[in-house]
Amino acid sequence: MAYDMALAALADPTRRKVFERLRSGARSVGEIARDMPVSRPAVSQHLKALKQAGLVRDEPRGSARIYRIHAPALTELREWLDGFWGDALDNFKTFAEGEDERR
Amino acid sequence: MAYDMALAALADPTRRKVFERLRSGARSVGEIARDMPVSRPAVSQHLKALKQAGLVRDEPRGSARIYRIHAPALTELREWLDGFWGDALDNFKTFAEGEDERR
DNA sequence: CCATATCGTAAGCCATAACTTACAGTAAGT
DNA sequence: ACTTACTGTAAGTTATGGCTTACGATATGG
């Protein structure tokens, strides 16, 4: 039960933009914060939140610190969404067939 | 570009619980608010947010109002997550193979 | 027509969270 | 050893958002 952490982490637009900058590969904090409307410490805090949600992993490289996406967390969120998606489609189907559902 | 609304809507635990109560079928506001730790107006506000995010649809039935899950919004969110998932797995794979990525 | 049921909205309160500036710590280069 | 580069954290401010209570609106039933 960790998809809730991932959802909360990906809700904020700025934090999601930080996360999406890692989509094409691992980067350092400075590279991520480059050309961003917020300060570098803000990016650092967002990365901390993403890390606690299990969405990223970090690793030191010299005095810098490299962040990369941790795929398993996305898988977990995907599975939760898949289960929901199936049930919702079933109910949508029975609804479209005119059969009245529970009340 | 509406997956961002869905993410923001599903981030709050209480609102997600409201949403999950519609997983097994359509319900009225009163039925959803029954045995909930928050008041009925709070549930109503959550339903409004879910509706604006395209996650639910409402329909009057007498003096009551029936809410049901709107599956297409979930599909949209799923597709965004799928694209992300693929890229993240690719990078994870090249990382596991020891090949250094962009820097 | 009056009473009841069901719901949405407005106003206000309060906790949370996102941001900035300032500071401290570590690593590498000279 | 000193400087530079890169980062995390603490403190404080401000805005956002979720909640409650109070009220207004619509539909059904007697």
Side-chain angles (χ1 to χ4, degrees):
Chain A
M1 182 166 47
Y3 66 90
D4 53 342
M5 303 276 296
L7 276 176
L10 293 176
D12 181 69
T14 305
R15 186 161 42 221
R16 195 168 52 243
K17 183 180 290 184
V18 168
F19 187 62
E20 285 178 352
R21 289 218 170 183
L22 299 177
R23 185 169 180 163
S24 56
R27 312 245 177 160
S28 70
V29 180
E31 286 172 340
I32 300 173
R34 173 179 301 279
D35 295 332
M36 267 237 170
V38 296
S39 68
R40 183 199 51 79
V43 172
S44 201
Q45 291 167 5
H46 283 306
L47 286 170
K48 182 180 180 180
L50 290 171
K51 182 180 176 182
Q52 288 180 339
L55 287 169
V56 300
R57 299 277 184 181
D58 60 335
E59 159 199 4
R61 175 180 302 179
S63 71
R65 188 158 277 268
I66 307 299
Y67 283 84
R68 74 181 70 250
I69 291 183
H70 187 58
L74 281 180
T75 304
E76 198 167 349
L77 177 58
R78 216 176 84 105
E79 288 174 352
W80 172 79
L81 193 59
D82 275 8
F84 227 116
W85 188 69
D87 287 357
L89 269 192
D90 289 346
N91 295 328
F92 185 75
K93 186 178 180 183
T94 61
F95 166 67
E97 289 171 350
E99 305 174 11
D100 212 8
E101 65 286 345
R102 65 165 59 236
R103 46 169 315 161
Chain B
M1 181 166 47
Y3 66 89
D4 53 342
M5 304 275 296
L7 275 177
L10 294 177
D12 181 70
T14 304
R15 191 178 316 140
R16 196 167 52 242
K17 184 179 290 183
V18 168
F19 187 62
E20 285 177 353
R21 288 219 170 182
L22 299 176
R23 185 169 180 163
S24 55
R27 312 242 176 160
S28 71
V29 180
E31 286 171 339
I32 300 173
R34 173 178 303 280
D35 293 332
M36 267 238 172
V38 297
S39 68
R40 183 198 54 78
V43 172
S44 202
Q45 291 168 5
H46 283 307
L47 285 170
K48 182 180 181 181
L50 289 171
K51 181 180 177 182
Q52 288 179 338
L55 287 168
V56 299
R57 300 278 184 179
D58 59 335
E59 160 199 3
R61 175 178 302 178
S63 71
R65 188 159 276 267
I66 307 298
Y67 284 84
R68 75 180 70 251
I69 291 183
H70 187 58
L74 281 179
T75 304
E76 199 166 348
L77 177 58
R78 216 175 84 104
E79 288 173 352
W80 172 78
L81 192 59
D82 274 9
F84 228 117
W85 188 70
D87 288 356
L89 270 192
D90 288 346
N91 294 330
F92 185 74
K93 188 178 180 182
T94 60
F95 166 66
E97 289 171 351
E99 305 174 11
D100 214 6
E101 66 286 344
R102 65 166 59 236
R103 43 169 316 165

